[in-house]
């Protein structure tokens, strides 16, 4: 009998970023928006599973190694004999990238390989990013999202706009996912990419029309973030920190938000928002998509002890 299943289950892609440095050398690092969100949840002490598939090679092995180190529930992640999914980051300023992943490992996801009873145990189920535009994975994940919503689970959604999402096909996916979601995170850059024909205020209004009851977290980097609920709007300034690398900051922000909701259900929305901002700041202060620890958050919010005490 499968026991102790996680309360946060993250579906999506894990990949390897190849980043071109200034000296024209390439540096590889494990990544992927959904995988980053999962690692953040686990590192903050919330039982978390990353439901995705990676390659059985040096790149997949590194993803598995980092997943174990983060404390993810490894019953949710498979390795298969397929090519790795790669993101080639040609330039970071301005961002220029392309993806290599025809018939790659992430597309071999199999829902039947998940632990029995996972949906019953889950409280929040997260979706987003490239996994919702890459077929046949996207179709499978939409079915899981709809089934999870029907089962009364809270759905978390981060579009994490990339150029692959341009066009009418993804627009229908965006609308479907928004309608299912309890929590949506978008950046100002996401809104420009998702709704190029609209100004930001109109784009946000369109998203709200599709998701009238969702809590929408709008992030603006150093300008802070706003939380829009059906009843109120809250503002959280960014924490002052030395910015070393912004990679993974949005993922840390949303992963921290989800972890705080699960572990501190009685906390105020303002407190959850502060915790989320502290996670983003802690990641900005480190190289790479750093997944913050409770001590990192406590140092920023002024707490004397870790902020999360998870009760299953």
């Amino acid at each position: 009998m499968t026991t102790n299943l996680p309360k946060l289950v993250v579906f999506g892609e894990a990949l390897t970023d190849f980043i071109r440095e200034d000296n024209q050398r390439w540096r590889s690092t494990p990544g992927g928006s959904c995988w980053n969100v999962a690692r953040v949840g686990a590192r903050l002490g919330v039982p978390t599973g990353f439901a995705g598939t990676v390659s059985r090679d040096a790149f997949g092995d590194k993803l598995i190694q980092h997943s174990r180190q983060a404390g993810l529930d490894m019953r949710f992640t498979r390795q298969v004999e397929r090519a790795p999914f790669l993101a080639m980051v040609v330039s970071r300023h301005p961002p220029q990238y392309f993806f290599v992943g025809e018939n790659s490992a992430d597309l071999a996801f199999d829902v039947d390989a998940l632990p029995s009873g996972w949906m019953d145990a889950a409280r929040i189920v997260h979706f987003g990013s490239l996994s919702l535009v890459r077929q046949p994975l996207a179709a499978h994940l939409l079915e899981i999202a709809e089934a999870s919503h029907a089962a009364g689970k809270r759905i978390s959604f981060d579009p994490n706009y990339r150029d692959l999402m341009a066009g009418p096909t993804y627009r229908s996916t965006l609308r479907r996912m928004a309608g299912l979601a309890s929590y949506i995170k978008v950046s100002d850059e996401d809104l420009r990419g998702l709704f190029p024909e609209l100004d930001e205020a109109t784009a946000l209004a369109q998203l709200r029309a599709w998701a009238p009851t969702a809590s929408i977290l709008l992030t603006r980097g150093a300008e802070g973030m706003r939380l829009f609920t059906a009843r109120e709007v809250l503002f959280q300034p960014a924490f002052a920190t030395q910015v070393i690398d912004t990679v993974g900051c949005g993922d840390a922000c949303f992963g921290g938000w989800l972890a705080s909701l699960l572990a501190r259900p009685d906390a105020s929305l303002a407190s959850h928002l502060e915790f989320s901002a502290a996670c983003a700041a802690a990641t900005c202060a480190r190289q790479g998509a750093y997944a913050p620890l409770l001590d990192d958050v406590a140092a920023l919010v002024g707490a004397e002890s870790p902020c999360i005490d998870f009760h299953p």
Side-chain angles (χ1 to χ4, degrees), residues 99-163:
F99 299 96
V100 180
E102 184 177 356
N103 200 35
S104 55
D106 60 307
L107 303 181
F109 171 78
D110 181 5
V111 66
D112 292 331
L114 296 176
S116 176
W118 73 266
M119 191 183 293
D120 291 336
R123 296 181 189 173
I124 296 178
V125 188
H126 176 80
F127 302 86
S129 197
L130 294 165
S131 61
L132 289 175
V133 73
R134 287 170 53 77
Q135 298 293 356
L137 178 59
H140 297 321
L141 296 190
L142 279 170
E143 291 178 358
I144 295 169
E146 289 172 342
S148 299
H149 180 264
K153 307 303 172 181
R154 287 175 282 172
I155 304 300
S156 164
F157 175 44
D158 178 5
N160 193 43
Y161 178 81
R162 295 294 182 264
D163 291 344

Side-chain angles (χ1 to χ4, degrees), residues 53-56 80 82-85 101 103-109 134:
T53 309
V54 301
S55 55
R56 195 182 301 279
V80 296
R82 284 206 192 183
F85 185 23
N103 200 35
S104 55
D106 60 307
L107 303 181
F109 171 78
R134 287 170 53 77

Side-chain angles (χ1 to χ4, degrees), residues 131-217:
S131 61
L132 289 175
V133 73
R134 287 170 53 77
Q135 298 293 356
L137 178 59
H140 297 321
L141 296 190
L142 279 170
E143 291 178 358
I144 295 169
E146 289 172 342
S148 299
H149 180 264
K153 307 303 172 181
R154 287 175 282 172
I155 304 300
S156 164
F157 175 44
D158 178 5
N160 193 43
Y161 178 81
R162 295 294 182 264
D163 291 344
L164 293 177
M165 300 170 190
T169 300
Y170 182 75
R171 182 64 66 91
S172 65
T173 297
L174 175 66
R175 182 169 186 169
R176 287 174 67 185
M177 285 302 306
L180 298 173
S182 296
Y183 314 110
I184 301 172
K185 186 198 81 74
V186 288
S187 68
D188 49 352
E189 293 178 353
D190 289 333
L191 287 177
R192 287 194 292 272
L194 294 169
F195 300 100
E197 74 281 9
L198 304 177
D199 61 55
E200 184 178 297
T202 308
L204 190 62
Q206 178 63 83
L207 191 60
R208 166 57 73 203
W210 291 344
T213 62
S215 296
I216 301 176
L217 190 61

Side-chain angles (χ1 to χ4, degrees), residues 7-26:
K7 306 305 178 186
L8 173 61
V9 179
V10 177
F11 287 85
E13 79 285 349
L15 51 77
T16 299
D17 286 314
F18 273 82
I19 302 168
R20 187 164 69 176
E21 306 288 10
D22 292 340
N23 59 8
Q24 299 301 305
R25 294 192 177 187
W26 293 81

Side-chain angles (χ1 to χ4, degrees), residues 210-252:
W210 291 344
T213 62
S215 296
I216 301 176
L217 190 61
L218 174 62
T219 62
R220 291 177 165 277
E223 297 179 22
M225 64 183 79
R226 280 184 166 81
L227 177 68
F228 298 82
T229 74
R231 297 181 179 179
E232 59 185 327
V233 179
L234 300 177
F235 173 70
Q236 170 64 47
F239 282 90
T241 188
Q242 182 181 11
V243 177
I244 303 298
D245 191 346
T246 59
V247 172
C249 291
D251 303 326

Side-chain angles (χ1 to χ4, degrees), residues 61-73:
D61 289 347
K62 194 167 186 179
L63 284 161
I64 292 294
Q65 176 190 354
H66 282 255
S67 296
R68 292 187 188 280
Q69 290 173 349
L72 287 168
D73 188 323

